[in-house]
Amino acid sequence: MRNLSRFVAFCALALAPISAAAQVWSPDAKQLIIEGAPPLRMDFTSAAAAVAPTPTPLLPNNAPGTLFAFSPDGKTLAYRNGSGDLVLMDIPTGRTIPLESRLEAPVSWAPDSKTLAAVCRNDSGQLILHIDYREGGYRIKPIVLPFHNLASTCLPVQWVPETDNVLLAGGDGTKRDLWLVDAGIPTHLTQTGDVLGFVVSPDGSRVLWIRRSPNTHYILFSLYELIINARSLRKLDFPNRLPQVNPNPHNAVDSVTQAVLSTDLTHIAFTTLQHKSPDTVTVWLTDIKGSTVQKVTTLTSPPTTPPSFSPEGHLLAVLGRQKQTPVLVLFDLQANLGRTIALTPPGQ
């Protein structure tokens, strides 16, 4: 609660207008990166920052950057620079190391922070998975992936803890499936083409994913679990309808556009659209059983980038616009408290 109050004060007093693109938590949940022009680092840990906060440019000389991802030890920041290339920045010194070209999605770090998985695109338009060392060089030979697009509805690249494997959500056309890259070999885990979001369990033993519904008036979405080593699959108990979202076929959202599971596997944040309100998108939060549901915010469409849970799963951050104003919505799951902060300078 104290961190939430400090963060609200920080944003309300000091942020300049930005065009928000995505939001990325640090491993200790004490910093938040907001992508924009330029990207900003927001630190809300100290009492001084709460009283007189000053947002700081994330990169030297206000350089552009996107697709940020902190290493688990908090020492390195991976991102795509203005040329589209993957760069690693040593946070204490600001020193940068270029690794790969044409980064397609945020990298996923191994838990030990020594290696990372990066998906890039080559000159032929193929997606290539690189498993790189933080200090430079690759761990295994780059892998050509058997599909051409990554999912945009969630974080599409996730390391499997306790292994050297990577899970990806991708496909061709409108289809998106889960793929496991094990010992350098991509293997199809799902073949329904309707994966909205997924998360790997902290121990690496299982993956939970959300399947898009063909008709949200009757079924909002479906939730599945796969034990990775055994390849055993089961559908989890999640209601077809949520009273606040699709209570009946005549009063329901028309589509679920994004879905994100918390890393502790307890909550789902998702966004919805309705044909009768084409200019807005609604962000919802539910527990994994669908027993408690609440509206987090309503934003101006097109939909914002997917919401993001803090690493421990206690906070949910959403970026978007309300009318013409960029806003940050921060929801504290423990306090059951949400705040909307207009990203405008003092005095406006």
Side-chain angles (χ1 to χ4, degrees):
M1 219 21 225
R2 181 178 301 172
N3 279 347
L4 176 61
S5 300
R6 290 176 177 175
F7 187 71
V8 169
F10 167 75
C11 295
L13 291 174
L15 282 177
I18 61 172
S19 177
Q23 65 289 333
V24 181
W25 293 98
S26 63
D28 59 6
K30 295 179 180 179
Q31 295 184 69
L32 190 69
I33 292 174
I34 289 186
E35 293 184 3
L40 300 176
R41 183 202 309 267
M42 301 187 296
D43 188 331
F44 53 100
T45 56
S46 69
V51 174
T54 303
T56 57
L58 179 65
L59 303 175
N61 302 316
N62 289 334
T66 56
L67 305 182
F68 295 95
F70 283 94
S71 61
D73 62 10
K75 296 179 179 179
T76 308
L77 186 66
Y79 66 95
R80 182 173 66 185
N81 66 11
S83 300
D85 301 332
L86 168 60
V87 174
L88 300 186
M89 182 176 73
D90 180 71
I91 293 175
T93 66
R95 182 175 61 95
T96 58
I97 301 173
L99 283 189
E100 308 292 350
S101 300
R102 301 181 183 178
L103 183 67
E104 286 286 305
V107 307
S108 183
W109 289 87
D112 64 6
S113 298
K114 295 179 180 179
T115 52
L116 64 153
V119 175
C120 302
R121 197 174 296 276
N122 66 12
D123 293 337
S124 301
Q126 297 170 303
L127 291 181
I128 310 295
L129 174 64
H130 299 267
I131 307 296
D132 291 334
Y133 287 106
R134 174 161 60 178
E135 303 303 323
Y138 57 82
R139 184 166 180 168
I140 62 176
K141 184 178 179 180
I143 302 157
V144 177
L145 297 175
F147 52 87
H148 292 85
N149 297 292
L150 293 169
S152 60
T153 56
C154 62
L155 282 176
V157 184
Q158 296 186 29
W159 196 284
V160 181
E162 308 300 329
T163 73
D164 291 329
N165 303 333
V166 177
L167 262 168
L168 306 114
D172 292 311
T174 60
K175 294 184 176 181
R176 298 293 181 267
D177 281 305
L178 290 182
W179 294 78
L180 176 67
V181 178
D182 183 357
I185 301 174
T187 301
H188 233 148
L189 289 184
T190 69
Q191 299 191 36
T192 55
D194 54 10
V195 171
L196 264 176
F198 75 102
V199 67
V200 181
S201 65
D203 63 1
S205 65
R206 56 195 175 119
V207 55
L208 272 63
W209 78 94
I210 297 167
R211 288 183 58 185
R212 187 190 303 273
S213 168
N215 190 337
T216 54
H217 291 220
Y218 294 91
I219 300 174
L220 187 64
F221 52 72
S222 301
L223 187 61
Y224 284 77
E225 178 188 65
L226 176 75
I227 305 302
I228 297 176
N229 288 340
R231 300 293 197 272
S232 61
L233 171 68
R234 70 184 180 112
K235 183 180 180 181
L236 298 182
D237 184 19
F238 191 87
N240 291 337
R241 295 177 183 171
L242 300 179
Q244 298 89 331
V245 186
N246 62 337
N248 57 67
H250 301 289
N251 187 18
V253 299
D254 294 303
S255 64
V256 176
T257 56
Q258 299 160 329
V260 178
L261 291 124
S262 62
T263 54
D264 62 1
L265 313 181
T266 62
H267 287 84
I268 302 169
F270 61 98
T271 60
T272 62
L273 290 172
Q274 283 185 301
H275 295 156
K276 63 182 181 181
S277 303
D279 296 330
T280 59
V281 57
T282 303
V283 183
W284 305 86
L285 178 68
T286 179
D287 67 286
I288 204 74
K289 296 290 187 181
S291 57
T292 60
V293 186
Q294 52 197 129
K295 180 162 61 175
V296 175
T297 188
T298 299
L299 301 169
T300 305
S301 63
T304 181
T305 52
S308 62
F309 288 97
S310 57
E312 80 294 334
H314 296 164
L315 297 171
L316 177 70
V318 183
L319 288 176
R321 287 182 175 271
Q322 291 181 344
K323 296 183 179 179
Q324 298 301 317
T325 304
V327 295
L328 168 69
V329 179
L330 189 72
F331 190 88
D332 188 320
L333 278 69
Q334 292 183 320
N336 196 34
L337 174 65
R339 296 292 299 271
T340 299
I341 305 101
L343 303 184
T344 55
Q348 288 194 1

